[in-house]
Amino acid sequence: MEKYVIHGGKPLHGEVEISGAKNAAVAIIPAAIMVRGVCRLENLPQISDTDTLLHILTYMGARVNAINRTTVEVDCTDVQMDCLPEEMWSLTRKIRASYYLVGAMLGRFGRACSTMPGGCNFGVRPIDQHIKGLTALGADMDVSGGFIRAEAGGGRLRGNTVYLDKVSVGATINIMIAAATAEGRTVIENVAREPHIVDLANFLNSMGADVRGAGTNVIKIRGVRQLHGGTYALIPDQIEAGTYMAAVAAVGGAVRVSNVIPKHLECISSKLREMNVEVEEGDDYVLVRRAEPLRAADIKTMPYPGFPTDMHPQMTAVLCCAPGRSVMTEGVWSSGRFKYVGELRKMGADIQVEEQSAFVQGGRRLTGAVVRACDLRAGAAVVIAGLAAEGTTVVEDINYIERGYQNLVGKFRALGADICCVDEPDLPGERTLGWIAG
Ligand code: EPZ
C-alpha cells in the first residue's frame, strides 16, 4: 500500500504553482456531455477524480484527446448513452460528482440513469435538493435501490422557478447543467455562490448557454436548443492554495503561492493574518510568511463567501500549532467532518469535539505517528500536521488525498519538505516507526 513518509520540522521556502480547481473540473467534465462539439478544457487538474470522469465519458462514447498534462479535448457529439451500465457502477459509486452525469444526460437526452454517488463520507449526504430541482424542471425522478433514474416528460425538460431549501453546491450545479437546454426560463433561488459555480456558468456560456447571476444567490437561465464546442480554462483551486498557505502557517517559512485568484482566498488570508501570518496579495499570487509564533483563533465554516468547510481539517492542524485555546466550528457538514480529529490526537493534539465544534488547546509540539487519511481534506490535515511535527509521520490511505491534490509530494518537496511516497506492504503488527528509521 502506498504511504507518505514525512520527517517534520522543516520550514517551507520557495514557490508552489496551484493547479486547476477540482470542484470546477468535476462539474465541467460531466457538463461537456451537453455539448455537440469539441470542448477544449485547459488548466484541468491531474487528479484521480478527473481521470475517473474522463474514463466514464470515454465509455459513453465521447472522444477524449489529451493535448498536454493539463489540456484535454472532449467531443461528446456522438454520445447517446443515457443510462450507465454495470461496468461503470464501481466508478460512479466512488465519486461524489457522478450525480452531475444525471443532470447532463437528462438535459441532453431527456432520460438518465446512474448509481447514487460516493465521495467523502461525512455521514448522511442527502440529494433531496437535486431531486426537488430536477423535478421542478419536469423530470420524473426515482431514487431507489441505490440508483437515480430520471425521465423528462415529453422528452425535454421545461424551465421553472426553484427555491433551494438548503444552500447546496451540488444541487446548484446539477440543476444549472440540466436547465441549460431546458425549454424556457429557469430561476434557481438560494443557490451556492462558490467560485466553481461561477466557473461552470462561464463554461456553459462559452459553449452557447445563457446563464446569468452565478456568484449571487439567484441564477437565471434561458434554455437553448443545443450547445456548441469551444475552449475554456478552469479557475485555480482555492482549496489547494489554502492548503499550502495553511502548511506555511503551521511549519513556518516563506512561500509564493502562484496561479491563484486572491479574491477567492480572502477568507483564508484574513484568518491567517488574524493568526499572525503575513499574507501579501499580488495579481495572481499570494506571498505567505510565518516567522513569529502563531496566535490562537476561532473559525466557523460557512458557504462561500464564508470560511470554506473544505479548509476545516487543514486549519485545525494549524490551530494545534498556535499556543492557547482555539475553536473550529463546522457550519456546513455534520459531525462526520471531524473524523480527522482522532488522527491528530495520535500525534499529541489536544482537541475535544462537542457537537459541531472542535476545542483546541494548541502550542505543544506535535509528534510523528502512523495516521490515516480518513477523507480528502482530513488527509491534507495530517500531512500538514506531519510537516510541523517532531519526528516521522506515516500517512496511510493516501488514495483519498490523491483524489484532490495534484502532485502533492512533488510540490511540498520543492518547498523543502522532507516527504516521500513509499509503496510498503502492510507488515502485520509492524505499527511502530522503527522499520522506517532503519
Ligand atoms: C461539494 O459537495 C464539494 N464536493 C464538497 O467538497 C464541499 O464540502 C461542499 O460542496 C460544500 O462546499 C464537490 O464539489 C465534488 P453541498 P456537495 O450539496 O455538493 C446538504 C472536497 O473536499 N444538502 O453543498 O455534496 C448537505 O448535507 C469536497 O472537495 C442537503 O441537505 O455539498 C450539506 O449539509 C468534500 N440536500 C450541505 O447541504 C441536498 O440535496 C452542503 O452540501 C444537497 C446537500
Side-chain angles (χ1 to χ4, degrees):
M1 177 173 75
E2 285 197 323
K3 306 169 182 177
Y4 294 156
V5 177
I6 304 168
H7 298 287
K10 296 173 177 55
L12 303 176
H13 291 280
E15 179 174 5
V16 61
E17 181 92 9
I18 298 306
S19 304
K22 162 181 104 68
N23 291 343
V26 300
I28 287 170
I29 292 170
I33 291 171
M34 307 280 285
V35 178
R36 288 180 176 79
V38 177
C39 296
R40 182 182 174 93
L41 303 179
E42 299 174 345
N43 201 34
L44 265 184
Q46 275 190 298
I47 54 178
S48 60
D49 274 13
T50 48
D51 293 345
T52 300
L53 284 166
L54 290 170
H55 178 76
I56 293 171
L57 259 61
T58 303
Y59 185 88
M60 294 175 71
R63 281 183 293 282
V64 176
N65 178 24
I67 305 300
N68 59 44
R69 279 161 29 95
T70 57
T71 302
V72 172
E73 288 185 346
V74 180
D75 183 353
C76 292
T77 305
D78 299 330
V79 172
Q80 295 179 353
M81 188 177 290
D82 57 18
C83 186
L84 290 173
E86 191 166 356
E87 293 89 329
M88 288 294 107
W89 295 351
S90 63
L91 297 181
T92 53
R93 285 181 175 134
K94 191 170 74 164
I95 60 174
R96 186 83 197 150
S98 64
Y99 53 19
Y100 300 146
L101 297 164
V102 171
M105 290 188 285
L106 190 57
R108 170 86 181 263
F109 305 115
R111 294 183 69 241
C113 173
S114 181
T115 67
M116 282 292 283
C120 293
N121 179 7
F122 301 141
V124 176
R125 291 181 73 173
I127 64 166
D128 58 303
Q129 298 303 301
H130 298 244
I131 305 307
K132 176 178 181 180
L134 298 177
T135 303
L137 298 181
D140 293 327
M141 302 297 296
D142 170 24
V143 179
S144 58
F147 289 87
I148 308 169
R149 297 177 182 84
E151 182 104 22
R156 185 184 180 194
L157 296 175
R158 292 180 308 283
N160 202 343
T161 295
V162 189
Y163 178 84
L164 294 181
D165 303 314
K166 181 114 184 198
V167 174
S168 161
V169 167
T172 303
I173 286 172
N174 228 345
I175 300 164
M176 197 192 322
I177 290 173
T181 56
E183 187 173 355
R185 192 161 176 272
T186 296
V187 177
I188 320 169
E189 297 176 328
N190 196 31
V191 294
R193 300 164 55 187
E194 273 70 3
H196 32 286
I197 301 283
V198 178
D199 214 27
L200 172 66
N202 291 339
F203 162 77
L204 289 170
N205 288 339
S206 62
M207 305 294 157
D210 183 350
V211 181
R212 300 160 196 262
T216 72
N217 58 4
V218 180
I219 290 176
K220 296 176 182 170
I221 301 164
R222 189 181 54 76
V224 296
R225 198 70 188 99
Q226 77 177 45
L227 300 178
H228 56 68
T231 296
Y232 190 74
L234 277 66
I235 56 170
D237 193 316
Q238 81 271 20
I239 303 301
E240 184 195 18
T243 300
Y244 286 98
M245 294 167 75
V248 179
V251 192
V255 170
R256 178 185 168 116
V257 182
S258 300
N259 185 34
V260 299
I261 298 172
K263 177 166 178 45
H264 292 168
L265 300 170
E266 273 177 356
C267 217
I268 299 168
S269 300
S270 164
K271 189 53 70 174
L272 288 175
R273 290 188 187 107
E274 188 186 317
M275 296 179 68
N276 206 23
V277 178
E278 288 176 48
V279 180
E280 180 189 323
E281 292 179 7
D283 292 339
D284 62 351
Y285 66 88
V286 290
L287 273 177
V288 187
R289 291 189 195 88
R290 205 272 279 172
E292 304 301 321
L294 289 170
R295 272 197 294 268
D298 294 342
I299 301 172
K300 180 172 174 45
T301 69
M302 300 292 286
Y304 192 88
F307 192 90
T309 177
D310 293 342
M311 280 296 299
H312 163 162
Q314 301 94 303
M315 283 302 287
T316 306
V318 181
L319 296 176
C320 291
C321 303
R325 178 179 165 82
S326 299
V327 184
M328 169 62 78
T329 300
E330 173 61 38
V332 174
W333 293 108
S334 63
S335 56
R337 177 52 108 185
F338 290 91
K339 287 206 297 289
Y340 69 92
V341 170
E343 302 308 307
L344 292 183
R345 281 193 185 129
K346 291 177 187 172
M347 303 176 72
D350 178 352
I351 308 175
Q352 299 305 318
V353 176
E354 288 170 30
E355 295 180 356
Q356 288 294 105
S357 293
F359 296 88
V360 181
Q361 191 61 38
R364 191 176 60 211
R365 185 91 187 269
L366 298 175
T367 52
V370 178
V371 292
R372 58 182 292 268
C374 302
D375 58 57
L376 169 57
R377 307 305 176 183
V382 293
V383 167
I384 290 172
L387 292 170
E390 188 171 12
T392 303
T393 297
V394 175
V395 181
E396 300 177 333
D397 296 334
I398 61 169
N399 55 298
Y400 283 108
I401 302 174
E402 310 224 322
R403 283 187 46 201
Y405 288 94
Q406 176 175 327
N407 189 25
L408 179 131
V409 170
K411 290 185 179 184
F412 269 124
R413 287 179 67 85
L415 295 175
D418 184 345
I419 178 173
C420 63
C421 184
V422 299
D423 193 353
E424 293 283 349
D426 256 353
L427 305 179
E430 188 86 26
R431 302 296 292 173
T432 64
L433 298 182
W435 57 272
I436 293 170

